[in-house]
Amino acid sequence: METRKQLRKKRKKKRKKGRFFLPVMIFLIIGVFAYAGTQYWLGTQISKDAEALNYNFENEFQGVKNQDGKINVLLIGVDSRGEEQSRSDTMMIAQWDGKDDEINIVSLMRDIYVDIPEYSGYKLNTAFYLGGPELLRQTIKENFDVDVEHYMIMDFVAFESMIDALAPGGIQIDVEKAMSENIGVTLEPGIQHLNGQELLGYARFRADSEGDFGRVRRQQQAIEALKAHVISFNGVLKAPKLLGIAQPYIETNMTSLRQIEIMSRILLSGGGELQRLTVPLEGTYSDARYEGVGAVLELDWQKNNAALKEFLE
């Protein structure tokens, strides 16, 4: 058995270690915040001359917070080209589950025929044109019964800028075929490293038999490649700077601190497993055409909503 003298010596050693450990931890925390703040500021300086998104939405976004701790963000990709109103080119629901360390991405096809609240039947991407992110949120809730807490609108210029800042050498993608029509770049088949403009062109290509379904598949593939790069050591270090660069090209109801918090939690958790879903599912829709609307996708709502609920819950 240990004597009282020996026990006292042990307690003194523990107290000394504690007195040393606490200042070191405080110093490290201050250092991390100082680094992140500096990198964020440097990012804002890179894009300080950029023309910021300037939407004036009449309706305030009424996001609904999940009770289970999961975070649902409505991602809206636009190619505004200076227009005050534009249809949403890309619509996704990104869900992060911090408990199980999972990231779920749902791509909603823009030609889905939906009921838009206070309007009639239109394509899903028309909801953003008519009433911004809040009307799109209401439309998604009414038709798919899914709530989202936040929204983030990103102009495609931001996508290009962030890729070039994150990966000056490009993002590795296996380009499955030659691509050039209506994407502003020419891509050849094979594994290669794509810069921002090239990766955006790859993600937007739809001049083949797959059409919009192929475009959505490539968007999800690009996101997965980006995630793998971001959670690398180099990507983690660049994350605050990327947020700074992207600020002029992004409009969101999240504060900068909230964005940094969510990104930090994802990165510190190791990035999480990424699961992908496209709505409508294969074999659960039919093609139709309506006067004044054009070609649309009519869904089997029961099958699609059941699959969507299972995927997100």
Side-chain angles (χ1 to χ4, degrees):
M1 294 191 56
E2 293 181 306
T3 65
R4 290 183 180 179
K5 187 175 181 180
Q6 289 173 325
L7 289 172
R8 282 197 298 269
K9 284 184 177 180
K10 282 189 175 182
R11 284 197 291 267
K12 284 182 179 179
K13 285 182 180 180
K14 287 182 180 180
R15 284 197 294 270
K16 286 181 180 179
K17 287 181 180 179
R19 286 196 295 268
F20 175 76
F21 180 75
L22 184 58
V24 170
M25 286 302 299
I26 292 174
F27 177 78
L28 288 175
I29 291 170
I30 292 173
V32 169
F33 276 99
Y35 172 83
T38 302
Q39 290 297 305
Y40 180 83
W41 180 81
L42 289 173
T44 62
Q45 296 308 296
I46 291 174
S47 58
K48 66 180 180 180
D49 296 326
E51 185 175 348
L53 292 181
N54 188 26
Y55 288 102
N56 294 309
F57 301 119
E58 293 183 3
N59 299 324
E60 183 180 352
F61 192 76
Q62 303 292 328
V64 178
K65 186 175 182 178
N66 273 5
Q67 298 303 313
D68 54 11
K70 299 177 183 178
I71 301 172
N72 287 348
V73 181
L74 176 58
L75 304 178
I76 306 168
V78 298
D79 186 7
S80 61
R81 301 182 186 183
E83 299 175 359
E84 290 187 4
Q85 282 184 296
S86 59
R87 286 174 171 79
S88 46
D89 188 82
T90 299
M91 292 164 291
M92 296 181 177
I93 299 172
Q95 180 189 80
W96 182 60
D97 182 355
K99 182 179 178 181
D100 295 329
D101 192 19
E102 291 181 349
I103 301 173
N104 296 322
I105 299 288
V106 179
S107 295
L108 301 173
M109 300 293 290
R110 59 186 181 179
D111 289 342
I112 295 173
Y113 191 66
V114 295
D115 291 323
I116 299 179
E118 299 184 15
Y119 293 88
S120 56
Y122 285 102
K123 295 181 181 181
L124 179 60
N125 68 339
T126 306
F128 179 77
Y129 176 83
L130 293 172
E134 171 57 17
L135 185 58
L136 180 55
R137 181 198 69 80
Q138 293 176 19
T139 302
I140 290 172
K141 174 62 177 176
E142 180 170 311
N143 291 269
F144 299 99
D145 195 27
V146 173
D147 284 312
V148 294
E149 180 180 357
H150 300 293
Y151 77 87
M152 181 174 287
I153 304 170
M154 177 178 287
D155 195 279
F156 290 137
V157 175
F159 184 86
E160 294 184 19
S161 300
M162 287 197 301
I163 297 305
D164 291 336
L166 172 66
I171 298 291
Q172 182 173 299
I173 291 288
D174 187 0
V175 180
E176 66 266 27
K177 64 183 72 175
M179 302 177 185
S180 61
E181 189 174 341
N182 298 324
I183 60 174
V185 294
T186 298
L187 303 176
E188 298 298 332
I191 297 175
Q192 50 198 288
H193 288 79
L194 305 183
N195 63 27
Q197 184 182 18
E198 292 166 340
L199 187 61
L200 177 61
Y202 176 79
R204 299 189 71 188
F205 179 77
R206 59 190 182 101
D208 59 8
S209 59
E210 289 185 279
D212 261 353
F213 284 91
R215 182 180 67 95
V216 166
R217 177 179 57 78
R218 282 183 284 273
Q219 287 175 356
Q220 294 177 341
Q221 183 185 356
I223 288 175
E224 193 156 3
L226 277 172
K227 168 186 166 290
H229 196 94
V230 168
I231 63 174
S232 68
F233 179 73
N234 187 47
V236 170
L237 291 178
K238 289 184 177 180
K241 188 175 182 179
L242 288 176
L243 284 175
I245 292 172
Q247 288 310 300
Y249 310 107
I250 287 177
E251 184 155 319
T252 178
N253 67 325
M254 288 187 282
T255 64
S256 296
L257 287 176
R258 180 62 166 160
Q259 294 174 57
I260 293 172
E261 175 199 353
I262 292 174
M263 178 175 282
S264 299
R265 289 173 63 189
I266 291 173
L267 292 176
L268 290 173
S269 68
E273 293 295 323
L274 194 152
Q275 308 295 329
R276 302 180 292 178
L277 181 72
T278 299
V279 175
L281 281 67
E282 185 177 354
T284 64
Y285 68 93
S286 59
D287 296 314
R289 179 176 290 274
Y290 292 97
E291 186 177 352
V293 178
V296 300
L297 303 175
E298 287 196 327
L299 272 58
D300 181 327
W301 288 103
Q302 184 176 358
K303 290 182 180 179
N304 280 283
N305 285 357
L308 183 58
K309 182 176 182 180
E310 181 180 358
F311 185 72
L312 292 177
E313 293 185 356

